[in-house]
Amino acid sequence: MARPLGQRQLGESFWPDLGNLVVAVRRAMWITLLNLFRKPVTVQYPTVKRVYPDRFRGVLALTYDKETAEENCIGCRLCEYVCPPQVIKVEMLKAEKRNFAKTFTLELYACEFCELCVQVCPTDAIIMMKSFDLATSDRRELLLDKDRLHTIGLQFDASWATGTGLRAMQTPPKAAAEPKPAAGEAKPAAGEAHVEAKAE
Ligand code: SF4
Ligand code: SF4
């Protein structure tokens, strides 16, 4: 059985171990040399920003209605109920024509990015953005209130996924409808087709 490297018995020669060490160092230096001439895979962030893939979904944000410029959130609290780590807190403000969120906070530092809040939102008010650029060394900056969430919604590009879009994707396709019989063509009575087939 091969003896592990470095476990020499007393009195054994150290030359085999030294040989193995030289081979290992030479191999490592060769790989380093090869990498010197390779194109880097990293970028100088934040000066250089990568183009995110089309389906990228990052930080969460709140949206406004593009036509009326009103907040889309109706304060229904569905996102709060569904959030697994319970990082969303919403207070509803009842109004005459529609409801609003009086307060809306999201603890982004504890968010799992599971997207469940986006999926249940009936008004596409909460969405994910095509960015993650909120890196900070101060945890408190990731406690997002309503204003901050709206600002993020205006700051970055929205991802493709909205609650309406995601729910449509998950709805099973409807079964194809049976063709209607032509006018004047009587529908065969139950069992008739079976009897005809037997007579033949
Ligand atoms: S993405 Fe998931 S964990 Fe994060 S706020 Fe939404 S529901 Fe909660
Ligand atoms: S973000 Fe959507 S789900 Fe959450 S309270 Fe507002 S309307 Fe309801």
Side-chain angles (χ1 to χ4, degrees), residues 81-96:
Y81 293 129
V82 82
C83 176
Q86 302 185 343
V87 297
I88 298 179
K89 294 281 173 291
V90 187
E91 253 186 292
M92 184 194 271
L93 175 69
K94 294 201 179 222
E96 214 170 278

Side-chain angles (χ1 to χ4, degrees), residues 60 79 82-88 106-108 110-118 126 128:
L60 289 151
C79 53
V82 82
C83 176
Q86 302 185 343
V87 297
I88 298 179
L106 196 155
E107 298 164 78
L108 197 67
C111 171
E112 294 172 355
F113 293 92
C114 65
E115 208 183 38
L116 285 176
C117 52
V118 178
I126 188 163
M128 281 176 153

Side-chain angles (χ1 to χ4, degrees), residues 62 72-79 90 104 117 120-123 125-126:
L62 288 175
N72 278 329
C73 180
I74 52 171
C76 68
R77 299 181 66 202
L78 276 178
C79 53
V90 187
F104 194 115
C117 52
V120 297
C121 182
T123 56
I126 188 163

